[in-house]
Amino acid sequence: MSYKRQYSQQTNPAAPFLNVTITDTNTDNSLDVESLVDSGADYCMIPRGVAEQLKLVAHNLWQTNDYQNVSTGYRAVYRVRISFWQLAFNIDMVETDGIAIIGRDVLNRFTTTLHGRQTQLEIK
């Protein structure tokens, strides 16, 4: 079984996004969020606005680093359930001021292929 999705044309250049349902594991409140598939990100990120809408309560703080491994401070961490396609996982997501990101903590559970020329994401 595999899941295929065309890259989003809303970015330039086109980029792989997943429509992910993020659910508060305590209340079952959820939101659908377009999330960038980023194989360079160590872990998944949740926008601050989404965490606020879901009224999530942080259970930890993580020190975050930029691409050069320079500390960028501490960020709230939320325990949530994410689901897409036929898959669901309880994971920690780190708060960001940017967009939602699906990182390697989830992507490494699969074979994730970015077909650049066809602008298509495939997950097996």
Side-chain angles (χ1 to χ4, degrees):
M1 263 190 329
S2 70
Y3 171 81
K4 295 180 181 180
R5 183 167 184 198
Q6 290 301 123
Y7 286 10
S8 171
Q9 300 299 317
Q10 301 300 313
T11 60
N12 187 15
F17 279 78
L18 288 173
N19 185 8
V20 176
T21 300
I22 300 175
T23 304
D24 181 340
T25 56
N26 295 313
T27 66
D28 282 336
N29 292 335
S30 64
L31 284 175
D32 291 335
V33 180
E34 283 294 306
S35 304
L36 176 67
V37 174
D38 186 349
S39 63
D42 293 335
Y43 37 80
C44 295
M45 308 285 287
I46 184 171
R48 177 178 289 129
V50 172
E52 290 171 352
Q53 282 183 285
L54 291 174
K55 297 180 173 65
L56 297 175
V57 177
H59 75 87
N60 203 353
L61 291 175
W62 280 3
Q63 183 174 4
T64 57
N65 300 315
D66 67 12
Y67 68 97
Q68 293 178 316
N69 207 30
V70 175
S71 175
T72 57
Y74 288 86
R75 296 290 182 144
V77 179
Y78 304 99
R79 188 72 174 168
V80 298
R81 182 173 53 252
I82 64 166
S83 55
F84 59 92
W85 187 32
Q86 303 167 349
L87 306 169
F89 307 97
N90 287 344
I91 64 166
D92 287 331
M93 291 188 87
V94 180
E95 185 177 87
T96 180
D97 297 325
I99 63 172
I101 292 175
I102 301 301
R104 287 191 314 274
D105 56 334
V106 168
L107 297 176
N108 284 349
R109 299 172 191 216
F110 312 102
T111 300
T112 305
T113 306
L114 304 178
H115 298 283
R117 289 185 184 166
Q118 293 115 343
T119 63
Q120 185 179 65
L121 162 70
E122 182 176 14
I123 297 175
K124 294 182 187 176

